[in-house]
Amino acid sequence: MLPENLYKRRRNHNNTPPLVLLILTNCIVFALLIQFFAACDKVNNFFWAALAVLAFYNLYTIRRNPDEHNRLNIIIYSASIIGMIVTFYFMSRQPHNC
């Protein structure tokens, strides 16, 4: 027997926090951008334009869910951004076949 409120407490059967979705989206899009547009010595201008669009998406998502972002979530989000910067640095230093 299932409790009555089992499915009522799960909003739309979706328990993934918006911050996790935002971080996953950032990492996936960033990894694809690095592979396609920053693989050689010169970084393509579309890479920077796509990063600007990703930044606007981040701003929109954070503004849409202001109550979800407490101090711990901001620290986690900042750590993910720093991790992406470190990833870009190390990927740009690797030898490429251009």
Side-chain angles (χ1 to χ4, degrees), residues 1-3 15 17 23 28 31 48 69 81 87 95 97:
M1 299 305 223
L2 294 173
N15 282 340
I23 291 173
I28 291 170
W48 301 113
H69 299 287
I81 297 295
T87 301
N97 295 330

Side-chain angles (χ1 to χ4, degrees), residues 55-70:
F56 283 123
Y57 172 73
N58 288 337
L59 182 65
Y60 170 74
T61 304
I62 289 171
R63 296 280 183 176
R64 191 176 69 186
N65 301 317
D67 54 335
E68 301 275 335
H69 299 287
N70 55 16

Side-chain angles (χ1 to χ4, degrees), residues 7-52:
Y7 294 109
K8 290 181 183 177
R9 70 177 177 209
R10 296 175 68 198
R11 190 184 75 216
N12 297 329
H13 302 285
N14 184 6
N15 282 340
T16 307
L19 181 71
V20 172
L21 293 175
L22 181 66
I23 291 173
L24 286 175
T25 303
N26 285 342
C27 291
I28 291 170
V29 170
F30 190 71
L32 291 174
L33 286 174
I34 288 176
Q35 290 297 316
F36 291 135
F37 301 110
C40 291
D41 294 336
K42 183 180 176 191
V43 178
N44 194 339
N45 287 336
F46 184 77
F47 176 80
W48 301 113
L51 277 184

